[in-house]
Amino acid sequence: ASATVASIQEATQNRPQSTAKIEALTAKANALMEAALDEPLTLTTIAERLGTSPRSLQQQFRLRLNTTPPDHYLHLRLAEARRLVTDTNLPLMEIAVATGFTSQSTFARAFRTAHGLSARELRQSGTETAFAGYPVMQANSHASHSTN
């Protein structure tokens, strides 16, 4: 029994290094994603830049963030899109392009699925109340609400 306890203790002592490596890898992948919201990188490209395999990167995202790299990337892009909708008067097509969507219809569908209302509806309402689970950001106080 003491050999088993020693094995468990040894494994536990090694775990923080493993966790730190996973955290560092997912943090680096996140930074790459954030730097390329307008032209999303493929999973293979991200993995190559980090010196790992796509499968390993997927596993580490699952362990660390309980999601997949593509889903995390989409979340980052849509969070930035939400920020641009509420904090700027940019036309929605420009926001779509700035967050890596090749068509406004794809952007509109993803935005509505993620946030429960369209970007246009959010902009017209001037509120962030529909975004439970997201940090509330202060929108610019502007009198005119663009419908672009």
Side-chain angles (χ1 to χ4, degrees), residues 5-16 18:
V5 171
S7 297
I8 292 171
Q9 287 174 338
E10 184 178 310
T12 304
Q13 288 172 350
N14 291 336
R15 189 177 303 140
S18 173

Side-chain angles (χ1 to χ4, degrees), residues 3-140:
T4 303
V5 171
S7 297
I8 292 171
Q9 287 174 338
E10 184 178 310
T12 304
Q13 288 172 350
N14 291 336
R15 189 177 303 140
Q17 292 175 341
S18 173
T19 301
K21 186 176 180 181
I22 290 171
E23 289 176 8
L25 189 67
T26 55
K28 288 177 184 175
N30 185 73
L32 286 173
M33 291 174 183
E34 286 181 342
L37 294 177
D38 59 338
E39 292 185 27
L41 303 170
T42 66
L43 178 61
T44 302
T45 300
I46 295 168
E48 285 173 356
R49 289 186 184 177
L50 298 176
T52 191
S53 71
R55 179 73 181 131
S56 176
L57 188 59
Q58 286 178 323
Q59 289 173 330
Q60 293 190 26
F61 261 78
R62 183 68 71 193
L63 286 170
R64 174 79 178 123
L65 303 174
N66 198 30
T67 189
T68 65
D71 285 347
H72 181 71
Y73 213 161
L74 181 60
H75 171 78
L76 292 174
R77 291 166 55 209
L78 289 169
E80 176 64 2
R82 185 191 84 239
R83 186 191 71 77
L84 292 171
V85 166
T86 60
D87 293 357
T88 74
N89 287 320
L90 288 172
L92 296 181
M93 188 60 209
E94 285 184 33
I95 293 172
V97 170
T99 54
F101 292 91
T102 56
S103 75
Q104 187 157 350
S105 63
T106 303
F107 167 71
R109 201 168 26 257
F111 195 97
R112 182 180 290 279
T113 298
H115 302 307
L117 74 167
S118 73
R120 181 169 281 112
E121 290 166 342
L122 173 63
R123 182 170 274 172
Q124 288 172 344
S125 72
T127 182
E128 289 251 348
T129 57
F131 297 108
Y134 285 95
V136 175
M137 297 179 190
Q138 292 296 325
N140 291 341

